[in-house]
């Protein structure tokens, strides 16, 4: 059966298992890395605004981010996609998306956004940049 495709094993005592031939798994991994590198190259040739507008179709909340944050989201998305593909750890990309979605939610709420920009009780002022020592 494995020569004809992936085999799903349903277990009574745990999560189902997926058996896949190693050559197919390797091809999937290589394909993900190639796609990530192609996306990086495409993004570098587009203006940040065009790249961000392309991601808005998939992530409509990107519209809630300021323009500078949209550019940073594109860069972070591309880097996380490539890292995920090369390490075969897709949680990296998922975490990046979660963090940016949370940032967009803050920007979408003007009251919360203003509160987070203002001083807090017992504010001791700006934190100085770290120094080497």
């Amino acid at each position: 059966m494995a020569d004809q495709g992936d085999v799903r094993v349903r277990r009574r005592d745990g999560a189902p298992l997926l058996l896949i031939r190693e050559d197919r798994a390797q091809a999937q991994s290589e394909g993900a890395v190639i796609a990530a590198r192609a996306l990086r190259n495409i993004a570098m040739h587009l203006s940040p605004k065009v790249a961000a507008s392309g991601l808005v179709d998939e992530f409509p909340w990107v519209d809630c981010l300021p323009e500078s944050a949209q550019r940073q989201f594109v860069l972070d998305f591309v880097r996380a996609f490539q890292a995920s593909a090369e390490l075969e750890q897709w949680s990296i990309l998922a975490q990046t998306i979660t963090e940016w979605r949370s940032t967009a939610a803050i920007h979408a709420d003007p009251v919360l956004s203003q509160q987070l920009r203002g001083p807090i009780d017992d504010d001791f002022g700006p934190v100085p940049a770290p120094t080497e020592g």
Side-chain angles (χ1 to χ4, degrees), residues 8-18:
R8 183 175 314 273
V9 178
R10 288 181 178 50
R11 303 183 311 162
R12 283 182 260 166
D13 62 341
L17 301 176
L18 183 62

Side-chain angles (χ1 to χ4, degrees), residues 7 14 21 31-32 58 65 69 73 85 95 101 117 130:
V7 177
R21 287 184 11 193
E58 183 63 29
L65 296 170
F73 168 70
Q95 181 66 32
R101 185 184 310 118
R117 287 190 182 132

Side-chain angles (χ1 to χ4, degrees), residues 26-91:
Q26 183 65 30
Q28 288 175 354
S29 177
E30 289 173 6
V33 170
I34 290 167
R37 289 177 180 166
L39 176 63
R40 180 197 62 213
N41 290 335
I42 290 168
M44 295 303 154
H45 286 85
L46 297 174
S47 73
K49 192 170 191 164
V50 171
S53 69
L55 288 175
V56 166
D57 290 343
E58 183 63 29
F59 308 109
W61 44 260
V62 170
D63 271 339
C64 298
L65 296 170
E67 192 172 318
S68 62
Q70 288 181 9
R71 285 192 297 274
Q72 189 61 49
F73 168 70
V74 170
L75 295 173
D76 289 354
F77 179 86
V78 170
R79 288 177 58 88
F81 187 104
Q82 188 167 8
S84 292
E86 291 189 18
L87 297 174
E88 297 182 24
Q89 295 291 326
W90 293 99
S91 60

Side-chain angles (χ1 to χ4, degrees), residues 102-121 123:
S102 296
T103 301
I106 291 168
H107 284 286
D109 183 340
V111 173
L112 179 58
S113 182
Q114 186 60 36
Q115 287 174 340
L116 293 175
R117 287 190 182 132
I120 57 173
D121 293 338
D123 187 355

